[in-house]
Structure formats: structure tokens, C-alpha cells
């Protein structure tokens, strides 16, 4: 499983081969990923065959496509049974990949399908990086009409809290930026609020984008949605976000999953706008993608528009994000929910 080996140590997988073979292999893994090792045309057959079915650190359990092919979603399965979800969304000038950093998640956010499963294990850096490489290979084999041929943006918004798996996420960032050549600015690390992790990320050399999943503008409401808030309340979070923004010179994003009758009131909109203004953050409002495991629902369209208008009227920069792939369960953890339900039938 070559992705589980650091790019600088690939020689160890090629005993008896000349040194330049490791470099050729590195190119195929990171610069021009291919779905099947038989496509690595400049490597001798003995090397390609040595990887064979072990090329990827997971197998494809489910592959789905929707939005006229502009959304592609995979449920991968690691040999130990860990489930990994990845979603690719094509736009006119970018192809954004949402990746998972953990199998399951320990944070237990009450509106999230993944949170209801609990924590399985951290994903290794190779398993996280391989999601990007797999999507790159899929895109080059089967392009999305009107979108770039390479993954241009990566967001850590799939299953798991990336800053709770810091070492592996850091190594993934290093591989994506320094080996694959992705722009750090095109990579977004999304956290539900692990303050020490935000500070560690601020000290890294790469100007990645930080997204804070806020979801509520006061501690009482936030604690009912995000249990981690008891450990890192909003004031502590905002102080960490300020430190990150100051250190990197980058604007932070506030993510707000909009839930019917929960955090869609004018009061929450005004309080959110006030926070966003203070820390000069951009707000992304994402209407809830309903999941069978959580009681929260998507608000009616009229209320969604009113909420966004209210945030904007109070001086914050706000974008209403589309909920891509609702017909293929594209919210994090939802494909896995279906898969588990199907296997119980
Ligand atoms: S929303 Fe994110 S941090 Fe919270 S339980 Fe789900 S995956 Fe974990």
C-alpha cells in the first residue's frame, strides 16, 4: 500500500530496483495519480504487479453520482473495516473535494450522522492523502463537464475532527502542498473548535484556510449542539481564531449549519453577524441536510433566505452554500448510515 509509506521512503518498497524508480513511483502516486497501477506506463511490469490490488489503502464500497454528474461520492472501506467518506463537487472554475480525517468521530455533535456513530479510529496520513489522489485519478479518467481536470480545492469537512488527529492531518497537509503541489490557500481545515489544535495550525508554515463550525452564537445553545463547547467556550474559540487570523494574515470562515427552529432566529442571525464583524470572518450558511440519526431538520426556504438577509443586513459577509448531493446522502456520515442500514436488513 504505497500511500501508507512516506513519499521520501518509497525506495523501501522497491528492493533491488534502481533509485530513480522510487521517483517515478512518487510521480504516479502524487502528481499523476491513476486508478490502476497497470497505467503506470514507465514502470516495469514486475513493479506494477507487486502492488496490484494493494495499490489503494482501501476498497471502493459505494460510488454514487448526482447533480448531472457534478457531484461524485465514495464510501471507501479500509482492510480493518473502517469506513471513509469522500465527496467531489464540480463547479465552473474549481473541483472541490471534501475528505475525512477520522473513521467516525468522538465529538458527538447532535445534528451529525457521523457523531452518532462514535469514534472508530484516526485515519493515517496515507489514507487521507489517498482520498485526494483517488479523486484526482477519477477526475482525469472521467472529467466533470465544465470543471477543472484536477482537484483544485480540498476541505477537511468529511467524517472526523481534523485537529483531533493532528499529526496525520499535518503530514497530509505537507504531502498535498509540498509533494502534490497544491496551493495551501485552496485547502480548508474545518474544526468544531479544538483550541490547542488551532494554535498548532497557526504555527505551521502553510497559509491554509481555517473554518470554524460555530452553529450557535451563545454558549447555551452551542453546548446543546456541540458538546465540545463545554471545554472550549465561544470566547476562547474566538480568541484562538483571532490569533490564527493575525498570524497568517488570512480571513477565517465561520460555518453555520442552519437548523429548523434551532439556530435560524433573527436573534441568532444578529449575534452571528456581530461575531463575524468583530473577527472579520466570512460566514457560510449551510442548510441542514436531514439525517435519519438526528432530530434537526432543514428550515423552509423562506426562513433560510430571511436568516441570510438578516446576517447581511447587520454588516457581515455571508454566503448561502448549496447542499450538494442531497439525493446521494452527501452530508458527512450519511452514506455510511445507509450502508450500515442496508447491511442490517
Ligand atoms: S460535525 Fe464534525 S466534529 Fe461534529 S460529530 Fe460530526 S464529524 Fe465530528
Amino acid at each position: 500500500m504505497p500511500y501508507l509509506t512516506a513519499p521520501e521512503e518509497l525506495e523501501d518498497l522497491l528492493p533491488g530496483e534502481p533509485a530513480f524508480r522510487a521517483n517515478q513511483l512518487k510521480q504516479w502516486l502524487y502528481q499523476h495519480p491513476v486508478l490502476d497501477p497497470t497505467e503506470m506506463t514507465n514502470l516495469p511490469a514486475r513493479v506494477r504487479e507487486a502492488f496490484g490490488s494493494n495499490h489503494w489503502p482501501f476498497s471502493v464500497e459505494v460510488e454514487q453520482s448526482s447533480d448531472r454528474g457534478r457531484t461524485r461520492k465514495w464510501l471507501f472501506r479500509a482492510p480493518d473495516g473502517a469506513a471513509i467518506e469522500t465527496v467531489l463537487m464540480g463547479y465552473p472554475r474549481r473541483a472541490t473535494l471534501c475528505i475525512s480525517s477520522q473513521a467516525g468521530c468522538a465529538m458527538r455533535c447532535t445534528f451529525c450522522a457521523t457523531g452518532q456513530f462514535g469514534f472508530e479510529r484516526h485515519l493515517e496520513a496515507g489514507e487521507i492523502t489517498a482520498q485526494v489522489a483517488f479523486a484526482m485519478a477519477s477526475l482525469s479518467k472521467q472529467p466533470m463537464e465544465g470543471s477543472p481536470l484536477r482537484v483544485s480545492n480540498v476541505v477537511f469537512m468529511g467524517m472526523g475532527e481534523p485537529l483531533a488527529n493532528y499529526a496525520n492531518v499535518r503530514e497530509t497537509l505537507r504531502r498535498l502542498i509540498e509533494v502534490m503541489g497544491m496551493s495551501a490557500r485552496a485547502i480548508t481545515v474545518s474544526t468544531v473548535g479544538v483550541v490547542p489544535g488551532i494554535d498548532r495550525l497557526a504555527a505551521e508554515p502553510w497559509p491554509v484556510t481555517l473554518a470554524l463550525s460555530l452553529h450557535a452564537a451563545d454558549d447555551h445553545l452551542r453546548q446543546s449542539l456541540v458538546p465540545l463547547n463545554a471545554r472550549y467556550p465561544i470566547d476562547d474559540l474566538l480568541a484562538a481564531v483571532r490569533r490564527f487570523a493575525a498570524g497568517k494574515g488570512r480571513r477565517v470562515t465561520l460555518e453555520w449549519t442552519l437548523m429548523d427552529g434551532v439556530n435560524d432566529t433573527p436573534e441568532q442571525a444578529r449575534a452571528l453577524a456581530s461575531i463575524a464583524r468583530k473577527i472579520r470572518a466570512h460566514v457560510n450558511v449551510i442548510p441542514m441536510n436531514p439525517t435519519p440519526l438526528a432530530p434537526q431538520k432543514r428550515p423552509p426556504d423562506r426562513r433560510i433566505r430571511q436568516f441570510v438577509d438578516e446576517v447581511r443586513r447587520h454588516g457581515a459577509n455571508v454566503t448561502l452554500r448549496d447542499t450538494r448531493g442531497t439525493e446521494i446522502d452527501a452530508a458527512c456520515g450519511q452514506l455510511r448510515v445507509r450502508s450500515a442500514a442496508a447491511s442490517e436488513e
Side-chain angles (χ1 to χ4, degrees), residues 105-109 111-112 114-115 158-161 192 332:
C105 183
M107 297 298 160
R108 296 200 175 273
C109 302
F111 55 90
C112 168
T114 303
M159 294 199 296
E161 161 53 55
V192 82
C332 81

Side-chain angles (χ1 to χ4, degrees), residues 18 35 58 136 148 165 172 216 237 258 294 337:
L35 289 176
F58 39 60
M136 292 262 198
N165 182 15
T172 302
L237 275 183
L258 197 63
V337 171

Side-chain angles (χ1 to χ4, degrees), residues 88-260:
L88 178 64
M89 291 156 285
Y91 300 91
R93 277 185 297 281
R94 65 197 155 90
T96 298
L97 188 71
C98 176
I99 58 174
S100 298
S101 55
Q102 297 177 313
C105 183
M107 297 298 160
R108 296 200 175 273
C109 302
T110 58
F111 55 90
C112 168
T114 303
Q116 310 316 307
F117 272 110
F119 178 67
E120 272 181 60
R121 69 168 171 84
H122 293 311
L123 296 184
E124 293 185 35
E127 293 173 308
I128 309 174
T129 315
Q131 295 169 59
V132 182
F134 191 97
M136 292 262 198
S138 167
L139 250 187
S140 64
K141 192 116 194 145
Q142 207 183 338
M144 284 176 164
E145 203 184 321
S147 296
L149 290 174
R150 282 182 76 79
V151 172
S152 58
N153 295 67
V154 167
V155 294
F156 284 80
M157 290 186 188
M159 294 199 296
E161 161 53 55
L163 297 182
N165 182 15
Y166 195 86
N168 285 306
V169 166
R170 186 199 187 279
E171 171 60 10
T172 302
L173 292 174
R174 185 188 76 81
R175 292 190 198 182
L176 296 183
I177 297 163
E178 296 184 358
V179 184
M180 271 186 171
M182 289 196 69
S183 157
R185 289 167 185 269
I187 300 174
T188 298
V189 177
S190 173
T191 179
V192 82
V194 180
V195 166
I198 295 173
D199 286 331
R200 287 176 79 180
L201 193 63
E204 301 292 359
W206 313 294
V208 295
T209 301
L210 179 71
L212 172 66
S213 298
L214 192 62
H215 309 313
D218 64 80
D219 283 321
H220 182 70
L221 178 58
R222 191 164 193 271
Q223 216 140 303
S224 71
L225 300 171
V226 180
L228 186 70
N229 195 75
R231 192 138 150 224
Y232 303 116
I234 291 176
D235 282 350
D236 294 2
L237 275 183
L238 298 182
V241 164
R242 273 205 182 95
R243 290 192 292 276
F244 182 94
K248 296 266 178 254
R250 306 233 45 212
R251 194 159 68 151
V252 168
T253 303
L254 296 177
E255 305 287 334
W256 191 278
T257 300
L258 197 63
M259 302 168 220
D260 188 21

